[in-house]
Amino acid sequence: MVEVTHSSSIELLAPAGNWECARAAVENGADAIYFGLDIGFNARARAANFHVRELKQLMLMLHRQGVRGYVTLNTLVFTNELPTLESNVRQLAEAGVDAVLVQDLGVARLIRELCPEMVVHASTQMTLTNADAIERARELGVQRVVLARELSLSEIRQISSRTSMPLEAFVHGALCVAYSGQCLTSESFGGRSANRGQCAQACRLPYELYCDGEHRDLGDFKYLLSPQDLAAHDYVPQLLDAGITSLKIEGRLKTPEYVANVCSQYRLAIDAALQQKHRKLSDSQRRDLEMSFSRGFSPGWLEGCDHKRLVPGKSSAKRGVMIGRVVAAHGDRIQVELSAPVATGDGIVLEGDRFAGEEIGSRIFQIFQSGKRVDHAQQGLVELGLKHGSLTSKSFSPSNVEGLQIWKTDDPQLTKRLRKTFDGPDPIKRVSVAIHAIARIGQPLVLQFSTSDSPVLEVRSQHILELARKHPLDEETLRSQLGRLGGTVYQLGALSAELDGQAMVPLSVLGQLRRAVIEALDAARVTRPLPCSAEDVTRSMLERVAKQALPMRASALGNFLDESPGNPSGKSESESEPWTLRVLCRSLSQVEQVLSSGVKHVIAELHDLREYRQAVEKAHQHAASLEIATLRIHKPGEDGLFRALAKHGGDSWLVRNLAGLDYAQQHGIPFACDFSLNVTNPLTAEQLMRWGATRITASYDLNRDQLCELVAATPADWLEVVIHQHMPMFHMEHCVFCSVLSPGRNKSDCGRPCDRHDVQLEDRVGAKHVLHADIGCRNTLYNGVAQSGAEAVKPLQELGIRNFRVELLRDAADADVKRLVHLYRDLLSGRTTGAEVWKALKADNRIGVTRGTLEQARNPLAIL
């Protein structure tokens, strides 16, 4: 056992995709719920969500029962949406929401300036994985941080020891294989961005693995990117001890029965932990949780990385509980060796690949055990009668089902039991009211009352108390009359009384005071609106951005181009051309190739830390500057990577997270901000410039029109646009190399197959995508087809953009790299057109090229 010392602030936070889920959460012990509105800007666009007109009613229901309500505004926001967002925030303030969750740095700034009293929580979409990044978020007014799911208990403890920020962590539900806020797969495949609440769940699809160009047959291990669900019930004491103050359940797309089930179990676990007890799930309780929703349970990353346990790879669907194996079959009946209970009416499925149409499901219509027909069975050999014709499909027949696993996918009795916890006419969870009565002859009857979260209130009778002739007031009468609170959310708790003399109180007076108590409690718990600025805040903030120009950032730049050791002449490429082309290289050979092609601005993202010094030396030998790219994720204990990068002497950094930004600023290293900092509007861009950035890479979530809107509203010299790349889709703590190509379970014993093998994952349409591991052993899956924004270059130049980037992925012949560089140089110089570059790229690439996110009209269903 661990000692939990901060009991008063511990919160159980539940999801609510609709009214039923909200009631299920409240009635089953949630301290707060989080939910989205149908006005957009929430990361679960497919949930039913609440209408903004329902918001006041919802907050009243929550506050009456002592529950807080948090609204999710946890997506990126585009430039033209900022005025709408301001209007929405004003509506949230009017409804008195308890907090909002945000992803976008600019949104946090806007809320702070618009409504300073509104509490802001940083969503897990903000990808905060260390204390330095959290302190940067604090500067924007953030008052709580939802940590990335990929952190271990040890890492959480290290973070909490270095920050006073309240920390929230997911404890149950689905796990994304990619870091939240860093997944561009749905955007890359079909324009439905996960950063806009439209994730297409490509991680749940099957993939084939190619190693060094050869197909690797993995048998039924096809779901290489689909993690099991998180179930941290048994880790609640350790999470509280590590510093977590809010335990969060995932599931705004789940059923109210799921919410009821999970909330009730975690409520008991938290209450036990606060009493220094360690509650563990029984087998039946675990099965109940699995029935509500489960792809299989694991502790996620709480114990550190175990890549084989996290992704078993054999399924990606909800399966429920494995109840046994088929022994034999005949007709519509199967003999099963049961390992878990079943009952008639339960839904079952025989194992198979659902994407190949190989699964067969049925209700159980009959159960026979020991020759007798029964309604339920616990274990042992039984015969199950299924739906007529279930075993006559192409994939299944009575002759080939022996040995197959059987899963129970639906339990009507469990569903009925869970619904009873929230579906009744009256509230089940009630607020305890302590009442103190004062009865003195010749004075009114006084009731002083309070709840655990309200001050002491008071009501007085108009009736003046007289001496009783027969039945003086006593505590028993008070308890009987004041306890009649049925139909309300209140219940009588502690009752005390000062009964001075033999006072007589008519029952009608007690009834009137009881109703007055209810009205006063309701009035005290009614949500109060939050004050907002009277001015058009969005307009004034955007006007402030637009007025800024290059001279104000001279100190941030530090004239590093003139003083760069890689540029001794003091002249930059931009002095001869009105644009700058940077090329990002992912190997030392690529650095050499682009330098020999005359590129003067190189970005290096290398797999071997030791090669950075060589890359810097080679760049300086060619009178070029070399910018070092940091990792996208930075965890506790990894500051040594920053120190190593700084030691290798690059001219500047391309930072990809707030910790990298903080380190660079603190150590006087010039830095630019990359796409992973998710700049989609001028307010976010301005904040990064305030923190000292020399330039900012526009987010890959922007299409051509949205990018042009950002450029039009932002000083163009702040921005850099990537015009050629392989889109980084999944960025993962999970390592496919270790999971599939190594007997080990994590980087401590994997043998680093990533150093020796070239790996690609093939999707269902036959496209192969490139898998890389970075220095921190995190994997990125890159789209196998290059994306070119060549046709967007001219309009961007007309808007003033002068910083452009080309990114290389796989090593290629010198001639191919030089041709690519010269194509884009000619395009930027006006010697060729975007259409001509596009045609040349189509001809040069065997697997083609795409316009990707910079295509104006896109099909968001392409991924399906």
Side-chain angles (χ1 to χ4, degrees):
M1 273 300 298
V2 294
E3 184 175 359
V4 179
T5 59
H6 46 285
S7 61
S8 62
S9 60
I10 302 303
E11 173 186 271
L12 176 60
L13 178 57
N18 55 42
W19 276 100
E20 276 199 316
C21 290
R23 284 190 286 269
V26 169
E27 299 292 9
N28 284 277
D31 299 300
I33 67 168
Y34 65 103
F35 56 92
L37 301 175
D38 61 3
I39 53 178
F41 306 120
N42 94 80
R44 291 294 182 271
R46 291 188 292 124
N49 295 312
F50 293 86
H51 195 283
V52 70
R53 290 194 298 267
E54 300 174 307
L55 189 53
K56 286 187 177 181
Q57 180 186 354
L58 176 61
M59 294 307 300
L60 178 59
M61 184 269 282
L62 295 173
H63 287 173
R64 274 180 172 167
Q65 292 183 266
V67 175
R68 295 175 290 278
Y70 307 150
V71 175
T72 55
L73 295 178
N74 56 340
T75 66
L76 302 181
V77 177
F78 299 140
T79 306
N80 68 333
E81 296 172 333
L82 289 170
T84 300
L85 177 71
E86 176 175 336
S87 175
N88 293 341
V89 171
R90 291 183 184 277
Q91 291 175 297
L92 303 188
E94 178 64 25
V97 302
D98 294 296
V100 292
L101 286 87
V102 304
Q103 172 186 12
D104 194 308
L105 303 179
V107 171
R109 291 185 58 211
L110 175 61
I111 293 172
R112 183 178 61 177
E113 195 154 330
L114 172 64
C115 184
E117 292 184 25
M118 183 172 285
V119 176
V120 175
H121 296 173
S123 166
T124 191
Q125 292 282 120
M126 205 178 279
T127 326
L128 298 176
T129 58
N130 60 84
D132 293 330
I134 288 171
E135 291 308 306
R136 288 289 174 170
R138 190 195 297 275
E139 296 178 27
L140 306 180
V142 169
Q143 294 168 263
R144 182 195 288 183
V145 163
V146 187
L147 293 173
R149 294 173 174 90
E150 289 82 357
L151 292 166
S152 69
L153 284 165
S154 173
E155 290 162 343
I156 292 171
R157 186 174 286 106
Q158 290 179 65
I159 291 171
S160 68
S161 70
R162 292 190 55 210
T163 180
S164 60
M165 178 74 75
L167 302 177
E168 180 179 310
F170 281 94
V171 294
H172 195 93
L175 288 173
C176 302
V177 75
Y179 273 92
S180 295
Q182 299 299 315
C183 185
L184 292 160
T185 312
S186 300
E187 177 68 62
S188 180
F189 282 161
R192 10 182 327 182
S193 169
N195 285 327
R196 298 279 293 170
Q198 298 171 329
C199 172
Q201 298 205 355
C203 56
R204 305 299 179 188
L205 300 176
Y207 292 87
E208 297 292 329
L209 185 129
Y210 282 75
C211 182
D212 301 322
E214 298 292 328
H215 178 252
R216 180 73 63 94
D217 186 358
L218 301 177
D220 58 359
F221 189 85
K222 297 181 182 295
Y223 299 92
L224 308 181
L225 304 176
S226 182
Q228 296 193 90
D229 290 348
L230 171 65
H233 174 281
D234 293 355
Y235 296 82
V236 166
Q238 294 95 318
L239 283 161
L240 301 187
D241 182 66
I244 296 300
T245 58
S246 178
L247 288 84
K248 186 173 192 172
I249 298 165
E250 180 275 340
R252 281 191 283 151
L253 292 170
K254 305 283 179 42
T255 67
E257 291 83 7
Y258 164 90
V259 174
N261 195 355
V262 180
C263 278
S264 64
Q265 297 296 341
Y266 281 83
R267 177 76 273 156
L268 293 171
I270 292 171
D271 292 345
L274 296 179
Q275 296 174 25
Q276 306 304 319
K277 299 176 182 178
H278 193 173
R279 177 185 189 264
K280 290 192 174 183
L281 290 171
S282 67
D283 289 343
S284 63
Q285 290 164 344
R286 179 173 292 275
R287 285 195 297 266
D288 285 351
L289 284 176
E290 289 175 333
M291 284 307 308
S292 286
F293 194 96
S294 168
R295 297 181 179 92
F297 284 157
S298 84
W301 287 276
L302 291 177
E303 293 182 346
C305 289
D306 184 336
H307 301 296
K308 287 179 166 58
R309 177 175 62 182
L310 182 73
V311 181
K314 294 186 177 182
S315 175
S316 67
K318 170 194 172 183
R319 284 199 161 181
V321 177
M322 207 277 277
I323 60 170
R325 290 182 179 273
V326 178
V327 175
H330 55 90
D332 295 320
R333 294 186 182 183
I334 54 174
Q335 284 187 337
V336 177
E337 187 64 41
L338 274 187
S339 57
V342 294
T344 54
D346 286 351
I348 63 170
V349 66
L350 276 67
E351 69 176 338
D353 188 340
R354 67 188 177 103
F355 285 105
E358 295 176 357
E359 284 189 341
I360 283 190
S362 173
R363 291 281 173 191
I364 297 175
F365 288 89
Q366 297 172 315
I367 302 175
F368 297 90
Q369 189 167 34
S370 301
K372 297 179 181 179
R373 183 169 176 174
V374 295
D375 292 330
H376 54 83
Q378 298 295 317
Q379 59 184 5
L381 188 64
V382 299
E383 190 170 88
L384 305 180
L386 308 183
K387 179 182 177 182
H388 178 66
S390 296
L391 300 178
T392 57
S393 73
K394 294 179 180 179
S395 301
F396 291 88
S397 68
S399 62
N400 69 358
V401 297
E402 184 177 342
L404 291 183
Q405 291 182 336
I406 301 179
W407 299 77
K408 182 164 72 169
T409 57
D410 184 46
D411 185 336
Q413 294 180 25
L414 174 63
T415 299
K416 183 178 180 180
R417 173 161 57 87
L418 292 171
R419 286 201 69 84
K420 285 183 178 179
T421 66
F422 63 87
D423 205 22
D426 294 328
I428 297 173
K429 177 184 178 181
R430 295 179 182 270
V431 178
S432 181
V433 182
I435 299 180
H436 179 69
I438 303 173
R440 295 189 175 97
I441 295 171
Q443 296 182 22
L445 176 62
V446 177
L447 298 182
Q448 298 172 340
F449 51 96
S450 65
T451 66
S452 61
D453 59 352
S454 72
V456 176
L457 304 173
E458 182 177 286
V459 295
R460 294 170 176 263
S461 69
Q462 294 182 341
H463 176 80
I464 302 300
L465 303 187
E466 299 176 354
L467 181 66
R469 297 178 180 177
K470 292 185 178 180
H471 302 292
L473 181 66
D474 56 24
E475 284 196 27
E476 183 178 350
T477 303
L478 281 170
R479 181 170 295 280
S480 172
Q481 296 301 312
L482 298 180
R484 296 180 178 182
L485 298 171
T488 75
V489 300
Y490 306 110
Q491 65 182 8
L492 181 60
L495 175 67
S496 58
E498 297 177 31
L499 305 179
D500 187 6
Q502 301 288 305
M504 188 275 290
V505 180
L507 297 183
S508 60
V509 171
L510 290 175
Q512 291 170 359
L513 286 183
R514 183 181 67 246
R515 290 188 290 273
V517 167
I518 294 169
E519 291 174 3
L521 285 170
D522 281 350
R525 303 169 85 80
V526 166
T527 305
R528 306 298 181 204
L530 303 173
C532 289
S533 171
E535 72 169 314
D536 185 338
V537 172
T538 299
R539 185 182 187 89
S540 64
M541 293 182 79
L542 290 178
E543 287 176 347
R544 187 170 64 222
V545 172
K547 291 177 181 177
Q548 298 180 60
L550 182 62
M552 70 166 289
R553 296 192 318 288
S555 60
L557 282 163
N559 298 315
F560 85 94
L561 279 176
D562 289 338
E563 299 169 3
S564 166
N567 190 19
S569 67
K571 294 182 179 180
S572 71
E573 187 177 64
S574 60
E575 293 183 49
S576 57
E577 297 283 4
W579 46 263
T580 299
L581 177 65
R582 294 177 177 84
V583 180
L584 186 146
C585 302
R586 292 188 166 95
S587 70
L588 194 58
S589 62
Q590 290 176 356
V591 172
E592 294 169 344
Q593 288 172 321
V594 300
L595 289 172
S596 66
S597 300
V599 173
K600 294 301 180 185
H601 299 280
V602 180
I603 304 171
E605 178 191 350
L606 305 179
H607 184 64
D608 188 338
L609 191 63
R610 297 166 297 183
E611 293 181 340
Y612 278 108
R613 184 174 299 279
Q614 298 177 59
V616 172
E617 291 173 353
K618 291 179 183 297
H620 291 175
Q621 289 168 7
H622 286 77
S625 65
L626 188 130
E627 189 166 72
I628 295 176
T630 72
L631 302 183
R632 283 169 69 178
I633 301 299
H634 188 77
K635 283 186 167 188
E638 295 182 348
D639 284 359
L641 288 175
F642 286 154
R643 291 192 291 271
L645 292 179
K647 183 175 66 175
H648 290 310
D651 300 299
S652 59
W653 281 9
L654 180 64
V655 301
R656 289 172 164 169
N657 55 66
L658 291 180
L661 180 152
D662 185 76
Y663 187 94
Q665 187 191 55
Q666 295 296 327
H667 291 79
I669 300 169
F671 66 91
C673 293
D674 208 2
F675 72 95
S676 50
L677 286 161
N678 288 326
V679 175
T680 59
N681 62 69
L683 305 187
T684 304
E686 183 188 32
Q687 184 59 49
L688 296 177
M689 297 303 290
R690 284 183 173 185
W691 278 333
T694 58
R695 69 180 194 282
I696 298 158
T697 310
S699 166
Y700 296 163
D701 280 290
L702 298 166
N703 65 27
R704 190 190 303 187
D705 290 341
Q706 293 155 352
L707 177 59
C708 288
E709 288 170 356
L710 171 65
V711 175
T714 307
D717 55 296
W718 289 6
L719 300 173
E720 178 175 76
V721 177
V722 179
I723 53 175
H724 186 96
Q725 64 161 317
H726 289 261
M727 179 74 86
M729 300 188 299
F730 296 111
H731 186 64
M732 308 171 280
E733 191 71 22
H734 175 59
C735 181
V736 179
F737 292 95
C738 177
S739 178
V740 177
L741 300 178
S742 167
R745 309 192 78 85
N746 55 48
K747 62 184 177 182
S748 69
D749 61 0
C750 69
R752 296 192 63 84
C754 54
D755 289 340
R756 303 186 303 276
H757 298 294
D758 178 50
V759 171
Q760 295 173 285
L761 301 186
E762 182 183 63
D763 63 25
R764 290 189 300 153
V765 299
K768 295 184 179 69
H769 308 292
V770 179
L771 188 72
H772 275 192
D774 65 20
I775 296 170
C777 292
R778 297 176 188 107
N779 285 193
T780 303
L781 187 68
Y782 293 90
N783 195 317
V785 180
Q787 170 181 307
S788 173
E791 294 168 321
V793 165
K794 184 176 180 180
L796 288 171
Q797 286 182 316
E798 290 172 349
L799 287 169
I801 293 293
R802 59 181 293 275
N803 292 301
F804 295 91
R805 189 199 306 173
V806 166
E807 296 193 354
L808 307 180
L809 181 61
R810 309 181 80 181
D811 287 340
D814 289 354
D816 293 336
V817 172
K818 288 181 179 180
R819 175 167 167 75
L820 182 70
V821 170
H822 289 304
L823 272 174
Y824 282 103
R825 268 188 170 161
D826 289 346
L827 173 62
L828 294 173
S829 299
R831 293 189 291 269
T832 188
T833 67
E836 290 169 340
V837 171
W838 174 259
K839 289 178 183 178
L841 290 171
K842 291 283 282 186
D844 289 349
N845 287 272
R846 178 176 56 84
I847 58 174
V849 67
T850 178
R851 295 177 179 87
T853 56
L854 295 182
E855 186 171 24
Q856 288 175 302
R858 308 198 68 209
N859 176 13
L861 299 181
I863 191 172
L864 302 180

